[in-house]
Amino acid sequence: MKTASEMIEFYKNMASIGMLQEVMWQYISMACGGSGGKLYGIEGEPSCREYNYPDYPDSFFQAVCDGMGWSYLADEHESQ
């Protein structure tokens, strides 16, 4: 199991901004207890969370979002 710190470092070094945007929305979803969306092109179209992060708690995604500066709290999204 990866740590939040490992994922923060990985994403901070990610070259593709477009890909990072998609990852950001997946993490925000999972930080709020969601699935992160479907992974199309993979048999059965599992969710991001089912496929990549089985058994990871919401707190893991919240820690990565915090480290990346990604707001996952509903009231913070409404004020943006």
Side-chain angles (χ1 to χ4, degrees), residues 1-35:
M1 182 178 273
K2 300 224 184 260
T3 67
S5 296
E6 290 172 323
M7 298 310 295
I8 292 164
E9 186 65 28
F10 175 77
Y11 291 131
K12 283 189 174 184
N13 291 317
M14 186 175 267
S16 171
I17 298 301
M19 184 178 216
L20 187 57
Q21 284 284 88
E22 181 178 345
V23 168
M24 178 186 74
W25 291 116
Q26 289 171 332
Y27 267 76
I28 289 171
S29 168
M30 294 182 286
C32 296
S35 69

